[in-house]
Amino acid sequence: MKLRLLLLLSISGSVFAQRMPLPPVVDNAAYPAAVANASKPSAASTLYEILGRVEQLQVEVQQLRGQVEEQAYTITELKKRQNTIYSDLDQRLQSVESAGAGAQPIPETAPEPVVVPQPAPVVAPVIQQPQAIETKPKPVKPASVESEKQRYQQAYDTLKNGHYSNAISEFKQFLTDYPAGEYSDNAQYWLGEAYKVNREVSLSREAFNKLITNYPNSPKVRDGLLKLGYIELEQNNLAKAREYFTRITATYPGTTAAHLAAKKLQQLNNNQ
């Protein structure tokens, strides 16, 4: 009897043991990283956004580079044009100087008055009248509304039209009225140029030296030095001319005046 009870208990225990298995062990390392980090933003989308910004910046840099190259080309063309204009003006003035060297002004003669016979005057009683006092007309001063720029432009136009003596008077009066004006340095330079074209060498030299002394910071100083070099070269003062040309090339490198001075120095060296 006891043996049967033991057999029944062993059988029932094995049955219950089979009906209640242990839960399976879960390995989290087996899942992909994308599933584990599902709540975080995608790294691929962030990378694409950065690449898009980089491409946009590259396009903008290329556009800016193109604008810089275009502006550099424009500046180069303007410099070439400025050199051409200055050289052309200098050649014209030199040709005018050469042509004016032999030309002499023709004095104007007034026509002789024609004498017309008058009938004999009728004698009449003379009534003395008080004599009128002759008064000389006062010089007309420039209008107050006339600006400095207009006065300068008027003198420059006079010089450009070939009236050199009148231009000299106008520039001298301008410098008297505006000794420290905005256009005084230019007026001093063109006064020296007018003297030079009018073959008044000593006065031209003096005017250009005043430009250098009175307006040392003016951009016209280098042009005045160039003209002084031309004057000394024409007067066959080669050492003095070489001094002026060398000073220009050393003090104002890269300018039109320095380029023209270098050409004159080369000619002097070739003629030695």
Side-chain angles (χ1 to χ4, degrees), residues 81-142:
R81 183 179 178 185
Q82 180 184 6
N83 293 340
T84 303
I85 293 174
Y86 189 92
S87 300
D88 181 65
L89 177 61
D90 188 71
Q91 290 177 0
R92 289 186 180 183
L93 289 174
Q94 288 185 359
S95 62
V96 171
E97 293 170 10
S98 301
Q104 298 294 336
I106 301 176
E108 297 182 358
T109 57
E112 297 181 358
V114 179
V115 180
V116 180
Q118 299 291 338
V122 178
V123 178
V126 177
I127 301 175
Q128 293 184 354
Q129 299 289 341
Q131 295 182 355
I133 301 174
E134 296 182 359
T135 58
K136 296 182 179 180
K138 296 182 179 180
V140 180
K141 295 183 178 181

Side-chain angles (χ1 to χ4, degrees), residues 67-85:
Q67 293 177 1
V68 170
E69 292 177 354
E70 183 178 355
Q71 291 177 356
Y73 175 77
T74 304
I75 292 173
T76 303
E77 291 298 319
L78 288 174
K79 287 183 178 179
K80 291 181 180 178
R81 183 179 178 185
Q82 180 184 6
N83 293 340
T84 303
I85 293 174

Side-chain angles (χ1 to χ4, degrees), residues 34-215:
V35 177
N37 300 327
S39 61
K40 297 182 180 179
S42 175
S45 62
T46 305
L47 180 61
Y48 288 140
E49 182 179 356
I50 293 174
L51 290 176
R53 292 182 181 178
V54 170
E55 291 179 357
Q56 183 178 0
L57 289 174
Q58 289 177 347
V59 172
E60 292 178 358
V61 169
Q62 291 178 356
Q63 292 176 352
L64 291 174
R65 184 177 299 171
Q67 293 177 1
V68 170
E69 292 177 354
E70 183 178 355
Q71 291 177 356
Y73 175 77
T74 304
I75 292 173
T76 303
E77 291 298 319
L78 288 174
K79 287 183 178 179
K80 291 181 180 178
R81 183 179 178 185
Q82 180 184 6
N83 293 340
T84 303
I85 293 174
Y86 189 92
S87 300
D88 181 65
L89 177 61
D90 188 71
Q91 290 177 0
R92 289 186 180 183
L93 289 174
Q94 288 185 359
S95 62
V96 171
E97 293 170 10
S98 301
Q104 298 294 336
I106 301 176
E108 297 182 358
T109 57
E112 297 181 358
V114 179
V115 180
V116 180
Q118 299 291 338
V122 178
V123 178
V126 177
I127 301 175
Q128 293 184 354
Q129 299 289 341
Q131 295 182 355
I133 301 174
E134 296 182 359
T135 58
K136 296 182 179 180
K138 296 182 179 180
V140 180
K141 295 183 178 181
S144 58
V145 296
E146 189 177 22
S147 66
E148 175 190 356
K149 183 177 180 181
Q150 291 173 335
R151 292 274 303 280
Y152 169 77
Q153 188 64 43
Q154 178 182 351
Y156 179 78
D157 290 339
T158 303
L159 174 64
K160 187 173 62 174
N161 292 331
H163 306 297
Y164 307 122
S165 298
N166 294 338
I168 289 171
S169 300
E170 292 180 10
F171 279 125
K172 289 175 66 177
Q173 186 62 45
F174 177 88
L175 290 169
T176 301
D177 296 338
Y178 305 98
E182 183 180 357
Y183 301 93
S184 299
D185 55 338
N186 284 9
Q188 186 68 49
Y189 171 81
W190 289 115
L191 176 62
E193 188 65 51
Y195 277 131
K196 187 173 185 293
V197 177
N198 216 31
R199 311 302 298 176
E200 299 179 70
V201 177
S202 60
L203 292 176
S204 177
R205 185 188 287 113
E206 180 182 353
F208 286 128
N209 281 318
K210 282 185 178 180
L211 168 67
I212 299 169
T213 303
N214 297 340
Y215 311 98

